[in-house]
Amino acid sequence: MKSGRLIVAKGQEFAIREYDVPAPVADAVVIKQELAGICGTDLHMWQNGFSKEMVLGHENVGVITDLGKDVATDWNGVPVKEGDRIIFKPGTSSGAYGFYTEPDAAPHFYGGFSDYVYLDKPNTCFIKTDLPPEVAVLTEPFTVGVHAIMRGDIQFGDTVVVQGSGAIGLVTTICAKVSGAGKIIVVGGPAARLDLARKFGADVTIDIEEVTSGEERTELVLDATPGRRGADRVFECAGFLSATPEGLGYLRHSGTFIEVGHFVDMGTLEFNINRSLMVRNCRVEAIWGSGEDHFVRAMPILEKLEFPYADMVSHVLPLEQVRDGFQALNGDYRLGSDTVVKIVLSPDL
């Protein structure tokens, strides 16, 4: 029986433990983990402190090492074998991979910050792909962008604002571009992230490190919209409380505001319902993660490789440096002198 390492988080501390990797039951799959992304949700949970031990890692790509005897195809009916690369949806009807709170209980490997991942939850959606791992690892966050854009119901030629230039903001920018947005404005930072946003389809970028006033940012956004009337769609992907009332101020009359960035409870805020919502006659939407349909829809778009997706992966760190990754995302989005965008962990470094 082979063994493997996994990272266990508790409070704001991380520890590496080693366990035996169980052989797959009939309907299970074991993958050798290649890359796992550190998600903004992971970061916000770490900021709040993990109340229980938790096995993290829900943005994953790996190669099949062992197949249960009843597993012949992926979610789409494509035949699979040992050695195939797959991605998988972390959420299932019986729990989620990457949020496991009993690491000492077999099969242990229910998260991607590890050497192996054991897929045995009923209705696990996994999909075979030939994408390079540095692109495939972006599939889960990309599906969040897919969900956001579908919920936002972008119309051809819409003026769109994306708040936030982290991974979710960047994939939402790409999804808005391929869905027919006429003009895309990204409000975020640091500058290197905004450079990527322009590669991914942004027409206008506003750097929050240079323009520190919300009122001034709002004026710049309105200046970039037709007739200064505001944006048709605003996607809040930053995950900061202050971004929501500011983003509502970017919106035109009868526009749509889509909340994307708050998958962890970050507290409450006050805003004027009449001025922020009613007088705009606006529609407010919010999404929660993504579903199997979003994964199925995302793959052919990613597999066209029409954008430099891999440029989003700014740093690949070994498991032992997980704390460095979290601290970089928790500070000024820099690791050393380099700007971080998406940090991924690799057990092979």
Side-chain angles (χ1 to χ4, degrees):
M1 179 178 287
K2 56 178 172 274
S3 64
R5 302 163 300 157
L6 61 79
I7 291 173
V8 177
K10 176 70 182 296
Q12 290 189 321
E13 301 302 318
F14 299 97
I16 294 180
R17 297 183 191 168
E18 189 162 330
Y19 299 96
D20 289 336
V21 182
V25 296
D27 58 352
V29 176
V30 178
I31 68 170
K32 177 68 172 67
Q33 184 71 0
E34 292 182 290
L35 296 174
I38 299 177
C39 176
T41 300
D42 297 326
L43 175 67
H44 291 319
M45 293 171 66
W46 175 79
Q47 289 169 333
N48 292 337
F50 297 98
S51 60
K52 299 180 179 180
E53 289 189 334
M54 186 167 287
V55 178
L56 299 172
H58 62 273
E59 301 177 358
N60 306 295
V61 58
V63 173
I64 296 172
T65 61
D66 300 276
L67 277 174
K69 65 180 182 64
D70 292 341
V71 181
T73 65
D74 72 358
W75 184 264
N76 292 325
V78 176
V80 292
K81 62 184 185 305
E82 292 179 5
D84 285 342
R85 176 171 293 134
I86 64 170
I87 58 89
F88 60 93
K89 177 182 178 290
T92 76
S93 57
S94 58
Y97 301 99
F99 302 94
Y100 186 52
T101 57
E102 297 181 25
D104 288 335
H108 314 293
F109 296 90
Y110 274 158
F113 294 180
S114 59
D115 287 316
Y116 295 92
V117 183
Y118 190 91
L119 304 178
D120 70 339
K121 294 180 181 293
N123 299 313
T124 295
C125 170
F126 73 89
I127 299 175
K128 178 181 174 180
T129 181
D130 293 323
L131 283 170
E134 62 272 18
V135 178
V137 72
L138 301 171
T139 304
E140 194 278 340
F142 192 81
T143 65
V144 175
V146 173
H147 190 183
I149 294 303
M150 291 178 67
R151 179 65 65 86
D153 192 25
I154 284 182
Q155 303 298 304
F156 188 83
D158 271 353
T159 297
V160 169
V161 175
V162 176
Q163 293 177 274
S165 53
I168 297 300
L170 292 172
V171 298
T172 300
T173 299
I174 294 169
C175 291
K177 182 70 173 179
V178 301
S179 297
K183 190 172 192 178
I184 302 173
I185 304 161
V186 174
V187 182
R193 287 183 166 195
L194 296 177
D195 290 342
L196 268 182
R198 288 187 287 273
K199 289 183 181 180
F200 293 155
D203 301 288
V204 177
T205 57
I206 298 170
D207 191 336
I208 62 174
E209 292 188 334
E210 294 181 357
V211 185
T212 58
S213 162
E215 291 79 6
E216 187 176 353
R217 290 193 292 265
T218 299
E219 289 302 310
L220 291 174
V221 168
L222 294 178
D223 285 343
T225 67
R228 296 192 83 251
R229 289 184 290 272
D232 300 290
R233 306 285 186 272
V234 175
F235 295 86
E236 193 289 293
C237 302
F240 294 103
L241 290 176
S242 60
T244 296
E246 183 175 326
L248 286 164
Y250 300 161
L251 198 61
R252 69 164 174 82
H253 188 272
S254 299
T256 301
F257 182 87
I258 304 92
E259 182 57 63
V260 188
H262 284 266
F263 291 104
V264 171
D265 186 349
M266 297 302 290
T268 59
L269 56 83
E270 293 184 7
F271 65 94
N272 187 300
I273 294 174
N274 174 265
R275 294 174 61 188
S276 296
L277 301 179
M278 302 297 292
V279 299
R280 286 191 169 82
N281 194 49
C282 66
R283 181 164 63 101
V284 177
E285 297 281 354
I287 69 161
W288 183 256
S290 52
E292 290 85 0
D293 181 54
H294 303 118
F295 276 76
V296 172
R297 290 172 182 269
M299 291 310 297
I301 302 299
L302 282 168
E303 288 173 341
K304 289 180 181 179
L305 293 173
E306 292 178 331
F307 296 88
Y309 297 106
D311 290 354
M312 202 183 303
V313 178
S314 58
H315 294 79
V316 182
L317 302 180
L319 295 179
E320 293 81 2
Q321 288 185 242
V322 59
R323 171 171 287 278
D324 294 339
F326 275 77
Q327 288 178 329
L329 293 168
N330 189 46
D332 59 0
Y333 301 112
R334 290 176 175 86
L335 194 59
S337 59
D338 297 327
T339 297
V340 300
V341 183
K342 172 57 72 177
I343 298 177
V344 301
L345 301 179
S346 169
D348 295 326
L349 292 181

